[in-house]
Amino acid sequence: MYAVIKTGGKQYRVAAGEKIKVEQMPADVGQDIVLEEVLAVVDGEDARFGTPLVNGAKVTAKVLSHGRHDKVRIFKMRRRKHYQKHQGHRQNYTELQIETISA
């Protein structure tokens, strides 16, 4: 059984027991959270798709940690113009462990 959820402007395919890294969420480590934006639930041959959300479906997850991804380096250059710009970015994330999927 798996579900497709939406959080942080992105969509994730999740199953019970998986660990995923999502955009940072305001939750404490160890706290259980409920993700109610479920787009699809598939259980073997039985598939339910929402328009846009599946009614009554939710995914519960436990917050494992907060952290920052690896640095993404940005380099811009205009040739023959003596222009170079270096920049870096590290995005914050929240690591979740998916516990249950209920439809």
Side-chain angles (χ1 to χ4, degrees):
M1 177 178 212
Y2 68 90
V4 177
I5 60 169
K6 185 172 100 173
T7 180
K10 299 178 181 73
Q11 297 177 6
Y12 300 91
R13 180 186 185 270
V14 298
E18 284 185 350
K19 293 180 184 176
I20 60 169
K21 291 180 180 178
V22 299
E23 296 293 320
Q24 187 174 24
M25 303 177 85
D28 296 326
V29 174
Q31 180 180 349
D32 288 335
I33 60 171
V34 177
L35 304 167
E36 295 182 348
E37 291 192 24
V38 179
L39 303 173
V41 177
V42 178
D43 187 11
E45 293 294 317
D46 181 34
R48 293 177 53 200
F49 299 99
T51 55
L53 303 176
V54 178
N55 291 329
K58 60 183 177 180
V59 174
T60 58
K62 184 175 189 173
V63 177
L64 295 179
S65 65
H66 297 287
R68 300 183 80 185
H69 286 288
D70 293 335
K71 181 175 276 193
V72 176
R73 298 198 179 271
I74 298 107
F75 176 70
K76 296 181 180 182
M77 185 181 94
R78 300 285 184 261
R79 63 184 183 157
R80 301 185 305 269
K81 305 297 181 191
H82 302 291
Y83 170 79
Q84 288 185 354
K85 182 179 181 183
H86 298 272
Q87 200 172 1
H89 176 73
R90 290 186 70 188
Q91 186 70 27
N92 296 327
Y93 68 84
T94 299
E95 188 173 16
L96 301 176
Q97 171 135 21
I98 306 301
E99 293 181 341
T100 61
I101 299 171
S102 61

